[in-house]
Structures are given as structure tokens and as C-alpha cells.
Amino acid sequence: MKIRTVKYFASQGFKGVWRNGLMSLASIGTIASCLIIVGIFYCIAANVDYILKTLEETTGITVFYMGENTEENIKYVEDKLNDIEYIKEIIYISPQEALEKEKKEWGEYASLLDGLENDNPLPPSFEITLDDIRHQEYVVSKLNTIPDIEIRYLEEETKILIGFNNMIRIISLVLIVILGFIGIMLMENTIRLTVFIRKNEINIMKYIGATDWFIRWPFVVEGIVIGFIGSILPLTIIWFSYNFVTELIYEKNTFLQNILTFRTPEEIFKVLVPVSLVIGIGIGIIGSSISIRKYLKV
């Protein structure tokens, strides 16, 4: 394709955006609104998913062996644990190691635990890390078949987070479909107005031998420009809003800094930027292609 032809397509596309100012603004606003909502839900879903992964690495499941503490019994429980699917790592903690851990956690009051070395009441335990916290219920059901053990894990908290994460993903998908459809319809009307204004010119171009794609490209460029602007605006808004909101949460709830870690803006936008551009420009291309199709039938 010649450079002169590309320049013609680009200039006609930008002129179309300017010519239909109000309709172009309405299309940009619709796409931006769609992507702001999608972006907000993605930020929430990404952080909930990140918290779930953090739970996998930091909490997991603790199994206490309450039977007779013999080498054979501990080996039996360990073998049973190794037979369960979805367990990524098993760490054995002896009563002596558990006592040392408790002393560190008690800090200046650790002296209260002195004298327990010879009569240690703490049971041996296993710290279990899962490959995916969504398999927690399955693993727990298998653990319940092992005799003489007690299980501790964040049952309700994990269920709430998993349910919330699934709900956010479903809502995000539904919103993308609904708002995307609205965006395409509004984009179609915007481009259709440009096509209607230039319909006589298009007919003449068809009669003198212009190809469909030569006629179509300026309108496709117009859709791409509108889609691109409609994508950049929400990304800019979300970038500043995300930083503000996460800093505000930490500022108002300082105790959360040791419990929750949010994804950095860079991690969020590494995914959100290409997704937003694809959705925005895709809406522009689809809408412009639909609107001009019937005017090419001469």
C-alpha cells in the first residue's frame, strides 16, 4: 500500500471524527464508560486472586497428629499426606521445633515457656501448602480420613474469597458483552452518519472502479481513532484512581499492611492496557465495518 494512500485513509478518518463531533464524543464516552467498569472489576478480581495466592503460600493447612508420637506413626501420616492430590509441599514440625517457634512469637514473655522442654505438650504437626487454594475442600475431605489428626485452616475466609472472586469474574464477563454490544451499536450510528453524508461520493467512487476496501478504510480508521481515544481515557483515570485508593486503604487501615498486599499498578496495567486497547479498537472496527456494509452494495 502506497504512503500517499495511507495518508488519505488517515486524513479522511480523522476528518470523520471531527465532522461528527457530538456523535464521536458519545461513542468515545460509551467505550470509556464500558472500559472503566471493566477495569474496576478487573482490579478487584486481580487483587482478590492475588490474596488467594498469598493465602496458599502463607497459611495453607496445618495438620496436628494427636496420637502416640512415634517414628512409625509420623511416617504413616506423612505417607498418607503424600498420597493426596493438589498438595504442593509438606513440612514436618516436631514438638521441639513448635516450642521454639512459640518462644519466638511470645518474644519478651518467652521465659514463661521455660521448663516445657522435658514435658512438651505441643503435638507434632505438618504444614501443608496447596498448588491451588480452590482445592482446599477436596484436600480437607481426604485429610479427614486419616485417624488421630486435627486440622486447622481458614475455611470460611477462603470460601468467601473464592465465591467473591468467581462472582467478580462472571460480572466482568457479562458487562464486557453487554457494554460492548452497546458500544458497537453507538459506533455503528456514528459511522453511519458519516457514511450517509458521503453516500453520493461513495456511489461515484464505486462507479469509477474504487474497490470496497479503498472506500471502507477511512471509516475503519475513524472507528479505530474513536476506539483508541475511548480506551486511553479510562486507563488514565484508573491509573491515578488505583494508586489513590490503595494508598488510602493503607493510610486508613495501617494494620492491613501486614495482612493484605495489593498488586502494583504495573502488574495491573500489564494486562489491562492491551485488553482495553483490544476491546476499544475492536468495537470501533466492528461498528464501522457493519455501518458501511450496505452502502457498498451498488
Side-chain angles (χ1 to χ4, degrees):
M1 188 180 293
K2 296 180 180 179
I3 296 178
R4 184 174 58 185
T5 306
V6 174
K7 287 182 179 179
Y8 169 77
F9 293 156
S11 66
Q12 291 299 312
F14 280 97
K15 284 179 182 177
V17 175
W18 183 258
R19 189 183 297 120
N20 304 311
L22 289 177
M23 288 296 290
S24 296
L25 282 176
S27 297
I28 290 170
T30 302
I31 293 173
S33 300
C34 166
L35 292 177
I36 282 177
I37 295 172
V38 171
I40 290 171
F41 274 91
Y42 172 75
C43 290
I44 295 172
N47 279 293
V48 172
D49 197 58
Y50 186 60
I51 292 170
L52 287 173
K53 284 185 170 59
T54 304
L55 283 175
E56 291 172 11
E57 297 171 358
T58 57
T59 56
I61 301 172
T62 302
V63 173
F64 297 96
Y65 180 66
M66 310 306 293
E68 186 180 355
N69 185 11
T70 64
E71 187 175 338
E72 292 78 12
N73 289 342
I74 298 300
K75 183 67 170 59
Y76 170 79
V77 174
E78 191 169 5
D79 289 341
K80 285 290 186 181
L81 295 177
N82 283 317
D83 289 337
I84 300 175
E85 291 181 279
Y86 309 123
I87 291 181
K88 183 171 69 174
E89 185 181 22
I90 301 170
I91 298 176
Y92 173 68
I93 300 176
S94 67
Q96 292 74 23
E97 291 171 330
L99 183 60
E100 291 301 318
K101 186 178 178 181
E102 288 294 323
K103 285 183 177 181
K104 288 181 181 179
E105 291 181 357
W106 282 45
E108 59 180 308
Y109 301 104
S111 58
L112 296 174
L113 300 176
D114 290 343
L116 293 179
E117 289 81 0
N118 298 325
D119 189 20
N120 192 339
L122 299 176
S125 61
F126 298 86
E127 295 287 346
I128 297 174
T129 304
L130 307 181
D131 61 2
D132 191 326
I133 203 166
R134 293 171 182 84
H135 298 139
Q136 182 173 265
E137 285 192 28
Y138 171 84
V139 173
V140 170
S141 68
K142 293 294 183 181
L143 290 173
N144 283 326
T145 63
I146 303 174
D148 298 324
I149 67 168
E150 287 187 7
I151 306 167
R152 289 184 189 173
Y153 65 104
L154 298 177
E155 180 179 8
E156 293 304 320
E157 293 85 346
T158 302
K159 284 182 179 179
I160 291 171
L161 284 172
I162 291 174
F164 184 66
N165 195 30
N166 292 336
M167 181 187 70
I168 292 295
R169 288 182 176 182
I170 293 170
I171 292 175
S172 299
L173 182 59
V174 172
L175 284 174
I176 289 174
V177 174
I178 294 174
L179 296 176
F181 177 77
I182 295 172
I184 289 173
M185 292 299 101
L186 189 56
M187 177 70 67
E188 180 185 352
N189 291 329
T190 303
I191 304 296
R192 185 174 290 170
L193 180 60
T194 305
V195 175
F196 182 77
I197 294 171
R198 298 181 58 195
K199 65 178 181 178
N200 291 331
E201 179 186 342
I202 292 171
N203 289 336
I204 293 171
M205 292 173 70
K206 284 286 291 183
Y207 282 125
I208 63 175
T211 63
D212 288 351
W213 271 107
F214 185 86
I215 299 170
R216 181 182 283 118
W217 264 111
F219 301 105
V220 172
V221 170
E222 184 178 344
I224 290 173
V225 171
I226 291 173
F228 179 77
I229 297 173
S231 302
I232 294 300
L233 286 177
L235 287 172
T236 305
I237 293 170
I238 293 172
W239 173 271
F240 290 106
S241 300
Y242 185 81
N243 281 321
F244 175 77
V245 170
T246 52
E247 289 174 6
L248 185 64
I249 290 173
Y250 283 144
E251 183 182 330
K252 297 294 183 181
N253 305 277
T254 53
F255 68 94
L256 288 177
Q257 295 186 26
N258 299 323
I259 303 173
L260 298 179
T261 303
F262 295 110
R263 285 196 179 277
T264 64
E266 291 76 15
E267 291 174 322
I268 292 290
F269 280 80
K270 184 169 62 176
V271 175
L272 196 56
V273 169
V275 168
S276 295
L277 289 174
V278 167
I279 293 175
I281 293 174
I283 289 174
I285 292 173
I286 294 171
S288 60
S289 299
I290 292 173
S291 62
I292 195 175
R293 188 168 50 192
K294 73 173 187 176
Y295 289 95
L296 295 176
K297 298 176 183 178
V298 178

